[in-house]
Amino acid sequence: MKPKIRLLIFLAALSTAAIAQTRKPAAQADSPRAIHNSAIIIDTHADTPQRFLDEGFDLATDTPVSDGHIDFGKIKKGNLGAEFFSIWVEPVFEGQYAHRAMALIDSVYQQAERYPDKMVMAFTADDIVRAHRQGKFAALMGIEGGHAIENDPRLLREFYRLGVRYMTLTWSNTNEWGDSSGDITNPEVKHHGGLTEAGKNIVREMNRLGMMVDISHVSDDTFFQALEVSRAPVIASHSSSRQLTNHPRNMTDDMLRKVAANGGVVMVNFYSAFIDQDYLKASSDPEKTKQRDEQVAAYTRAHPHPDGSPSTYNDVVALKKKWAAQFPRPPLKSLIDHIDHIAKVAGIDHVGLGSDFDGVTSLPEGIDSVADLPKITEALVARGYNREQIHKILGENLLRVMRQVEKVSREMQAGHNTTRMRTTEKPPGRAVAKTN
């Protein structure tokens, strides 16, 4: 063979190899793992502060999934970029709601102070992005249940100054200014037909502050009235689709469309009873729930706190998990169905992740902790979602809402017609009843 021909064959081989090398990274970039690892992943609801405060839990501790869903090891495996830690004050703390909330907030800050090389407190969308670039886990906070502000707008403002960036208007209990879905059918609870005027003013003040209005847990009337009042996009920090799983904690298709029109986002809850109708039906059996409630009551009576403080969710969560284990966990498909349904009804720009980690007793198969988040990406890829769409679901939609809420706040604070609650304006007080 002539030298010139040999040279041409050699150059052709080099060219083919170069093309193959160029194509290989492109294929890898479209793989589920590459899509997942390149995203800023934000989860908007985890009840881990209860563990920080009541158990002395430390994020550096590698815990069994039976004990907890979040720690630094699991965060790294799941590539979680930011978490909104829930500041949930159980109604048993009546008379000291704000005090308990402050203690929970402090517990989050203590973790960040303990591990500055791994974790940073974040207060804005840009803070989350900055933490991601630094390779650090961003910690944010949201108050779960408006009773925590004790009907005082000054406390609302103080919580904002401490870093709280959303508030769920109600928890499962109706408060003095807003109705909850958790007790809406209870005739013994006084309801308001949604939000009182004081409740509407709280929504307006949250807009002014730049605190996201969270409509998870609220009654249907409260939901629609909050959207009428709010000038900023709202979030549902941990709710799923009522069309697929008929639970009042979930959102109807009409609600999903209203959130989309508002520019907000629905963050899908992972709890088995909110994502699977079969699980909901089985776990709602009156005889079985009576059995659970009697076991919990007996345990609480037998194990009072020495200091006389109220028993908390964490005191009985192991018992509740054992009870829940009698029902088969739903398949991962059930969770993906909810994400898919909300994306189709509300639009791809209006769905995200609101796991409820460390606050639920059952999760779908394959999702044992935050370490399993990549499985959600894999399932979405299998359903035909592309890189851009998945990145929106994993975090970009929430970042967009945060930026818009921040923008509305700046505009309201700069305007001459700012509506601000008077510091003396307080609705009439009444006790908040505990509900499940």
Side-chain angles (χ1 to χ4, degrees):
M1 186 180 293
K2 295 181 180 180
K4 187 174 182 181
I5 294 175
R6 288 197 191 96
L7 178 61
L8 288 173
I9 293 172
F10 177 70
L11 291 174
L14 280 179
S15 177
T16 302
I19 291 171
Q21 287 288 335
T22 314
R23 286 177 180 167
K24 188 175 181 182
Q28 290 177 339
D30 290 334
S31 70
R33 190 73 209 193
I35 292 172
H36 190 84
N37 287 344
S38 60
I40 299 179
I41 302 170
I42 305 171
D43 178 49
T44 51
H45 198 91
D47 284 292
T48 320
Q50 307 286 327
R51 298 174 64 202
F52 296 154
L53 184 60
D54 297 331
E55 300 175 11
F57 170 67
D58 189 294
L59 280 172
T61 305
D62 185 8
T63 52
V65 293
S66 58
D67 294 338
H69 301 138
I70 293 181
D71 56 50
F72 282 136
K74 295 176 180 63
I75 287 168
K76 185 175 181 180
K77 289 179 181 177
N79 193 38
L80 180 64
E83 180 65 64
F84 279 80
F85 287 114
S86 174
I87 306 304
W88 172 51
V89 178
E90 296 172 73
V92 293
F93 287 93
E94 184 179 350
Q96 43 186 320
Y97 295 147
H99 181 271
R100 173 74 174 179
M102 295 290 185
L104 290 165
I105 289 170
D106 180 67
S107 76
V108 178
Y109 273 94
Q110 285 189 41
Q111 294 292 314
E113 290 172 4
R114 204 172 294 166
Y115 303 106
D117 57 327
K118 295 182 178 180
M119 175 179 173
V120 63
M121 298 300 299
F123 311 104
T124 66
D126 286 347
D127 286 346
I128 294 175
V129 175
R130 188 177 303 111
H132 178 75
R133 289 172 180 164
Q134 295 172 349
K136 294 183 179 181
F137 171 61
L140 300 98
M141 296 177 291
I143 285 179
E144 184 178 16
H147 58 278
I149 68 170
E150 299 182 354
N151 310 310
D152 191 339
R154 292 170 296 190
L155 275 176
L156 178 69
R157 290 190 279 275
E158 189 61 31
F159 283 133
Y160 179 85
R161 295 183 191 108
L162 289 172
V164 172
R165 288 301 177 265
Y166 77 66
M167 183 172 75
T168 320
L169 298 181
T170 74
W171 182 58
S172 295
N173 53 291
T174 288
N175 56 44
E176 288 86 342
W177 44 267
D179 290 341
S180 167
S181 65
D183 59 15
I184 196 64
T185 60
N186 186 347
E188 297 181 5
V189 176
K190 179 184 176 183
H191 294 106
H192 319 291
L195 287 171
T196 66
E197 190 57 36
K200 293 175 183 178
N201 281 337
I202 287 170
V203 171
R204 295 182 182 108
E205 181 67 352
M206 291 173 71
N207 286 169
R208 190 193 70 83
L209 289 170
M211 183 185 291
M212 292 182 288
V213 175
D214 178 18
I215 48 73
S216 285
H217 278 290
V218 304
S219 72
D220 292 5
D221 285 341
T222 300
F223 167 86
F224 287 111
Q225 291 170 23
L227 263 70
E228 286 177 7
V229 173
S230 182
R231 290 175 54 177
V234 303
I235 67 168
S237 67
H238 57 311
S239 294
S240 300
S241 164
R242 202 181 299 180
Q243 179 68 27
L244 300 186
T245 307
N246 189 20
H247 194 292
R249 269 283 282 106
N250 287 341
M251 300 177 66
T252 66
D253 283 1
D254 187 33
M255 290 176 168
L256 297 179
R257 286 186 280 266
K258 291 289 186 183
V259 170
N262 162 268
V265 61
V266 177
M267 314 298 282
V268 177
N269 193 311
F270 296 6
Y271 178 40
S272 295
F274 294 166
I275 61 167
D276 190 89
Q277 190 66 36
D278 291 338
Y279 185 96
L280 173 61
K281 182 179 179 180
S283 62
S284 300
D285 179 87
E287 287 301 317
K288 292 187 182 298
T289 55
K290 180 183 177 182
Q291 175 196 58
R292 177 201 61 199
D293 294 343
E294 289 175 349
Q295 290 174 354
V296 168
Y299 182 90
T300 301
R301 286 193 300 270
H303 300 84
H305 290 184
D307 62 359
S309 61
S311 295
T312 66
Y313 170 80
N314 277 34
D315 291 329
V316 295
V317 66
L319 186 63
K320 288 186 174 183
K321 285 181 178 180
K322 183 179 179 181
W323 175 86
Q326 68 184 294
F327 311 112
R329 294 167 65 183
L332 177 59
K333 175 184 179 297
S334 294
L335 173 59
I336 306 304
D337 285 346
H338 279 261
I339 297 172
D340 190 45
H341 181 82
I342 294 171
K344 285 180 167 62
V345 174
I348 193 64
D349 295 326
H350 305 286
V351 60
L353 305 180
S355 68
D356 217 348
F357 282 139
D358 282 337
V360 295
T361 54
S362 176
L363 292 165
E365 290 178 347
I367 304 296
D368 294 323
S369 74
V370 68
D372 295 311
L373 290 177
K375 295 178 183 177
I376 295 174
T377 300
E378 291 172 7
L380 291 172
V381 170
R383 294 210 183 186
Y385 284 84
N386 62 35
R387 180 189 185 90
E388 179 185 1
Q389 293 170 327
I390 292 171
H391 278 196
K392 286 184 176 184
I393 294 169
L394 294 180
E396 287 181 0
N397 287 340
L398 194 280
L399 286 174
R400 171 187 56 78
V401 168
M402 285 187 72
R403 290 192 172 103
Q404 185 60 27
V405 169
E406 292 163 10
K407 180 175 181 288
V408 169
S409 172
R410 290 193 297 270
E411 292 171 351
M412 290 182 72
Q413 292 187 33
H416 294 293
N417 298 320
T418 299
T419 301
R420 181 167 182 172
M421 297 174 67
R422 298 187 304 274
T423 57
T424 56
E425 182 179 58
K426 295 172 66 175
R430 72 170 182 80
V432 180
K434 181 183 179 183
T435 59
N436 290 325

